[in-house]
Amino acid sequence: SLLAWIAFWIAIIQFNPQSSLSCSDIFHLLIPTATVVTYNMKTKSTSSITLVIFLLQVWSVASAGYFYKGLALTSIDVIKTGEKSEGGNPLVHFDGTIKGRADDKDATFLKNIKEVKDATGKKVLEAEKLTVAQAKAIINQASSDGKGKPLFCIHGFDVQPRTHLKTIKEATLDKFNKGKFMPIPVMWPSEGGTTNYWGDRETTPGAGNGLKSLKKALDSFPSKSLLAHSMGNRVLRYAADAKFKFDNIFMVAADVQHNIFNKDYINSGKTTDEDRRELQGMKICSMLTSTNGKPKGKVYVLVNGADFALNASGWNPTTFTSRLGAIGAHYKRNWWGIWTEDKNVTHPGIRDCIENVWCNSKLKWSEKTAHSYQFYPQIVQSYQEKHF
């Protein structure tokens, strides 16, 4: 019966995204429990005390365990608790239900994130707030050469902090090689739910401004890259600034208009306004680290033409504009209405710094229409290949 209960808890751990208890924690609990079981076997008696002890131990470890022990970055407003961790770092609370603001200008580094109850009994996430120097030390320590290269990962629409943290945690353990990129989850206030799509679109400018506030802080990382998924690319648009430098930028399943890099679109609008949205494509490319005036890396547009979510988004009745992540850069419709590649449609100033990565051929048949494929093993390999 004990083995059955162990199997049950392992199953709960594996399939419950809220669980902070690992399988190794289970085995750490077996020693004292096995002692009681052995005693009962010798006396040829059975006791429910054995099971109670085991379950209490599981509960205590699960309650105290961390949901995500790694480093994270958030533009969600954090609430000071007035308490400090054992290491002396301030403890803060945050949660995906905290709504974003279009004028948001703050972002915070966090670590050792776990689920707790606040004073009202509501379940929230608690974390240690870090300085940039502390975050840099963690990244460098995780690198084989002591010179960490963070890959900041911005999630898309309808993604709550717990889900994003769990995804990054799994990707870090199973798919990213030590010494290459260290994925850092970037959380912005997504309201979640398909009915809140437009609400999320309205909060992306604030999330972008929150990330822009970290320009100076992120300069302390000499080598870093950025991955934006789905609507996270709208956050990227509003965070785009030439002073904000990255080795490579990966735009995965980008839920932005397909012509963001086109010369006709960039040259439209009020040309005297340097902050107009039409320039955001140019600004994204200006974020690439350069050597002798030339970008070291590229803006990689990861495309899946069968992406169910982006093809649906392209039918937005207010614009009917196809999405970049479903079409790719350098494309236009011919007179038959068929998409054809023509690099001349792209602005000449950024034409050579943008490259499409075709993902559909990399996906399994069951994944062909996928939208959230950013951490599939074969896609992660694409990031690794571009690493330098």
Side-chain angles (χ1 to χ4, degrees):
S1 62
L2 176 62
L3 291 176
W5 274 104
I6 293 173
F8 168 77
W9 278 104
I10 290 177
I12 290 295
I13 293 163
Q14 293 300 314
F15 295 104
N16 180 8
Q18 307 299 330
S19 176
S20 60
L21 184 64
S22 67
C23 291
S24 61
D25 293 325
I26 290 288
F27 293 106
H28 283 100
L29 298 172
L30 292 183
I31 296 176
T33 308
T35 303
V36 179
V37 172
T38 302
Y39 172 79
N40 286 337
M41 290 177 65
K42 287 181 180 180
T43 58
K44 297 182 179 180
S45 63
T46 58
S47 173
S48 59
I49 295 177
T50 301
L51 182 59
V52 171
I53 291 174
F54 176 70
L55 294 180
L56 285 174
Q57 289 170 325
V58 170
W59 177 84
S60 64
V61 174
S63 299
Y66 291 112
F67 187 88
Y68 182 81
K69 295 189 70 173
L71 186 65
L73 179 63
T74 185
S75 64
I76 298 173
D77 289 341
V78 296
I79 303 170
K80 296 179 181 179
T81 66
E83 300 178 355
K84 292 188 176 182
S85 67
E86 292 183 2
N89 295 316
L91 292 176
V92 295
H93 286 172
F94 71 102
D95 191 73
T97 59
I98 297 176
K99 292 189 176 183
R101 306 187 312 274
D103 61 348
D104 200 351
K105 294 183 179 180
D106 296 310
T108 309
F109 276 112
L110 307 170
K111 77 168 185 177
N112 291 340
I113 302 171
K114 62 182 179 181
E115 191 174 73
V116 299
K117 289 185 178 180
D118 63 12
T120 65
K122 175 186 174 183
K123 286 186 178 181
V124 296
L125 293 175
E126 181 179 85
E128 296 180 37
K129 183 178 179 180
L130 302 179
T131 65
V132 175
Q134 289 174 312
K136 183 179 179 181
I138 291 173
I139 292 173
N140 288 343
Q141 187 177 9
S143 174
S144 59
D145 60 3
K147 299 178 180 179
K149 297 175 176 62
L151 175 64
F152 293 97
C153 304
I154 308 175
H155 65 76
F157 161 69
D158 192 18
V159 177
Q160 291 294 293
R162 291 169 179 82
T163 303
H164 191 42
L165 292 171
K166 182 176 183 291
T167 301
I168 298 293
K169 181 178 180 179
E170 292 174 348
T172 303
L173 291 175
D174 301 331
K175 303 177 183 72
F176 284 87
N177 299 326
K178 185 176 181 180
K180 294 240 177 180
F181 293 125
M182 178 180 178
I184 308 294
V186 179
M187 298 167 287
W188 56 278
S190 169
E191 294 183 27
T194 54
T195 58
N196 286 321
Y197 179 81
W198 297 109
D200 276 3
R201 285 173 64 95
E202 291 175 2
T203 58
T204 49
N209 289 332
L211 295 182
K212 286 176 73 171
S213 71
L214 283 178
K215 284 200 302 288
K216 183 177 179 180
L218 293 183
D219 283 344
S220 62
F221 300 101
S223 182
K224 57 188 176 293
S225 292
L226 182 68
L227 185 158
H229 173 252
S230 190
M231 199 183 286
N233 287 277
R234 283 181 58 83
V235 178
L236 171 61
R237 288 184 66 166
Y238 289 101
D241 192 302
K243 298 177 183 178
F244 211 14
K245 297 296 183 181
F246 296 91
D247 294 342
N248 287 310
I249 297 174
F250 301 98
M251 301 179 70
V252 188
D255 189 7
V256 296
Q257 59 201 80
H258 72 90
N259 60 348
I260 186 173
F261 299 118
N262 288 10
K263 60 182 179 183
D264 289 343
Y265 176 71
I266 290 172
N267 292 332
S268 65
K270 190 177 180 180
T271 56
T272 56
D273 181 7
E274 294 185 357
D275 292 324
R276 70 185 190 277
R277 59 179 287 124
E278 289 83 4
L279 287 179
Q280 289 170 342
M282 292 282 287
K283 290 182 178 180
I284 289 173
C285 291
S286 73
M287 296 168 71
L288 293 172
T289 305
S290 60
T291 302
N292 298 324
K294 294 183 177 181
K296 291 171 60 178
K298 289 189 176 184
V299 174
Y300 292 100
V301 179
L302 279 76
V303 186
N304 178 14
D307 187 320
F308 78 95
L310 293 186
N311 282 301
S313 179
W315 284 93
N316 168 7
T318 63
T319 61
F320 287 108
T321 303
S322 298
R323 316 315 284 170
L324 181 67
I327 304 300
H330 315 306
Y331 271 76
K332 68 174 184 180
R333 288 188 187 274
N334 62 19
W335 65 282
W336 287 331
I338 297 175
W339 290 103
T340 57
E341 185 176 20
D342 183 358
K343 287 195 173 183
N344 289 323
V345 303
T346 305
H347 193 286
I350 57 178
R351 190 174 295 155
D352 295 332
C353 77
I354 306 166
E355 180 178 317
N356 292 319
V357 178
W358 304 105
C359 296
N360 192 266
S361 61
K362 303 175 186 289
L363 302 176
K364 300 176 183 177
W365 280 106
S366 59
E367 303 167 342
K368 290 297 184 181
T369 61
H371 177 65
S372 298
Y373 55 86
Q374 69 272 30
F375 292 124
Y376 287 3
Q378 63 271 41
I379 305 303
V380 170
Q381 185 178 354
S382 299
Y383 313 144
Q384 303 280 40
E385 290 171 354
K386 308 302 181 184
H387 171 82
F388 60 84

